[in-house]
């Protein structure tokens, strides 16, 4: 979904602007490379076991790779306390309608999620004469999609969970949260899950993982990596077109690991 200029101030205040910038670039995920690293992930230590020792993704990596804030309040309540809005508190879908002006059609809803196509079609084009309240609605929709599909995505990869309503309800207060810490915790959790032999699909902030691999393992970097940009993950948007030599590095790396 395009990032309209008028919603950028809300993204900046939320600490999510640099992450949103990655949407404007083509980020090609190398599944064989990511899978080779995940196979060396050990849930007991939350580290990759390599021939030379152990290593892992840190908060510093999150800050530099995705440009997310790592200081502030913990992102909590979206899994547990959110239930109060469905039981003893205000109905969640009634709250959703107040924040977005309408409810999605029943065929776009599954339990507490909305198919991302509804958000994409409904909030893709911001009217030129939109009021500030309309801009805030579009900013909420963009952030909901950003969090659900890019930062805290699950294996479905096509649904937006409404657990983020408590956060987008107060756009001006989103910047006080440590989104980087939450993203790192979610990445750890997803890799621990996929370590189970019965789980095949990897979810989570895979841009973070792949960008970290390129940064920490120079021999695997694609051509053009030396060109500086921030966040670091944005470096790979254009250089993935030159991946023939890069694939050779991957195969050599995997052969040495086995």
């Amino acid at each position: 979904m395009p990032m309209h200029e008028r919603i950028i101030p809300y993204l900046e205040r939320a600490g999510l602007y640099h992450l949103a910038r990655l949407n404007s670039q083509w980020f090609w995920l190398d599944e064989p490379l990511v899978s080779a690293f995940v196979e060396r992930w050990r849930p007991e230590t939350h580290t990759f076991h390599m021939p030379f020792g152990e290593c892992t993704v840190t908060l510093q990596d999150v800050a530099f790779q995705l440009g997310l804030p790592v200081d502030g309040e913990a992102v909590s309540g979206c899994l547990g306390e959110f239930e109060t809005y469905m039981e003893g508190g205000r109905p969640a879908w009634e709250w959703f309608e107040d924040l977005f002006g309408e409810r999605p059609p029943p065929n776009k809803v599954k339990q507490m999620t909305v198919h991302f196509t509804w958000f994409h079609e409904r909030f893709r084009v911001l009217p030129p004469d939109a009021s500030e309240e309309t801009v805030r609605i579009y900013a909420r929709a963009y952030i909901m999609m950003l969090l659900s599909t890019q930062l805290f995505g699950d294996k479905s990869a096509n649904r937006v969970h409404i657990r983020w309503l408590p956060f987008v309800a107060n756009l001006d207060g989103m910047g006080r949260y440590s989104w980087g810490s939450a993203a790192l915790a979610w990445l750890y959790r997803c890799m621990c899950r996929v370590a189970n032999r019965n789980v095949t699909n990897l979810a989570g902030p895979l841009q973070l993982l792949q960008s970290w691999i390129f940064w920490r393992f120079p021999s695997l970097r694609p051509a053009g990596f030396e060109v500086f940009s921030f966040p670091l993950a944005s470096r790979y948007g254009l250089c993935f077109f030159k991946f023939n030599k890069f694939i050779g590095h991957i195969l050599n790396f995997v052969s040495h690991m086995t």
Side-chain angles (χ1 to χ4, degrees):
M1 191 162 71
M3 180 171 56
H4 304 285
E5 291 185 2
R6 293 186 64 184
I7 73 172
I8 290 178
Y10 294 102
L11 295 173
E12 291 176 332
R13 289 198 291 269
L16 301 173
Y17 173 62
H18 293 299
L19 177 68
R21 285 175 53 211
L22 298 179
N23 286 336
S24 62
Q25 303 190 34
W26 177 54
F27 193 99
W28 175 67
L29 180 67
D30 192 302
E31 294 184 3
L33 175 65
V34 171
S35 297
F37 273 81
V38 172
E39 288 178 359
R40 293 187 166 272
W41 178 259
R42 295 297 178 267
E44 302 83 4
T45 58
H46 288 161
T47 57
F48 297 101
H49 284 219
M50 313 298 285
F52 53 80
E54 300 180 24
C55 57
T56 192
V57 186
T58 66
L59 279 177
Q60 182 187 56
D61 294 312
V62 178
F64 284 115
Q65 303 297 339
L66 298 184
L68 292 173
V70 295
D71 297 320
E73 299 179 18
V75 179
S76 61
C78 54
L79 294 178
E81 296 175 13
F82 179 73
E83 301 293 330
T84 62
Y85 295 102
M86 294 183 288
E87 297 174 359
R90 189 180 189 185
W93 291 108
E94 181 180 308
W95 197 19
F96 183 97
E97 185 175 4
D98 286 347
L99 292 176
F100 293 96
E102 61 183 282
R103 299 189 189 187
N107 64 332
K108 295 294 185 179
V109 175
K110 184 178 181 180
Q111 296 179 341
M112 305 307 293
T113 65
V114 182
H115 201 282
F116 81 97
T117 55
W118 181 81
F119 276 93
H120 182 75
E121 295 168 0
R122 174 62 182 83
F123 300 104
R124 177 177 177 83
V125 180
L126 179 66
D129 57 346
S131 65
E132 195 59 32
E133 180 55 33
T134 300
V135 174
R136 291 175 67 88
I137 291 176
Y138 275 70
R140 293 189 188 106
Y142 190 95
I143 291 175
M144 289 275 285
M145 290 194 65
L146 193 67
L147 295 177
S148 290
T149 63
Q150 190 166 340
L151 204 56
F152 302 103
D154 56 21
K155 291 187 294 184
S156 70
N158 61 4
R159 294 201 165 270
V160 177
H161 203 292
I162 66 172
R163 65 166 62 103
W164 306 111
L165 289 183
F167 295 93
V168 299
N170 181 17
L171 289 175
D172 296 329
M174 290 190 67
R176 70 175 188 267
Y177 294 101
S178 177
W179 295 106
S181 301
L184 182 61
W186 183 245
L187 177 63
Y188 279 12
R189 183 175 184 179
C190 291
M191 289 195 293
C192 289
R193 283 179 174 177
V194 83
N196 187 323
R197 67 176 62 184
N198 297 321
V199 179
T200 57
N201 296 327
L202 178 62
L206 300 183
Q207 288 178 326
L208 167 62
L209 177 58
Q210 182 164 295
S211 181
W212 173 83
I213 293 172
F214 290 153
W215 179 253
R216 299 299 181 181
F217 295 84
S219 62
L220 301 179
R221 295 177 183 175
F225 177 86
E226 293 75 14
V227 180
F228 179 79
S229 61
F230 182 83
L232 295 181
S234 64
R235 290 176 161 189
Y236 316 118
L238 299 177
C239 58
F240 283 147
F241 289 103
K242 304 176 182 179
F243 63 88
N244 290 332
K245 183 178 180 181
F246 176 45
I247 292 297
H249 285 311
I250 296 174
L251 296 178
N252 290 334
F253 178 80
V254 174
S255 64
H256 283 88
M257 294 294 101
T258 56

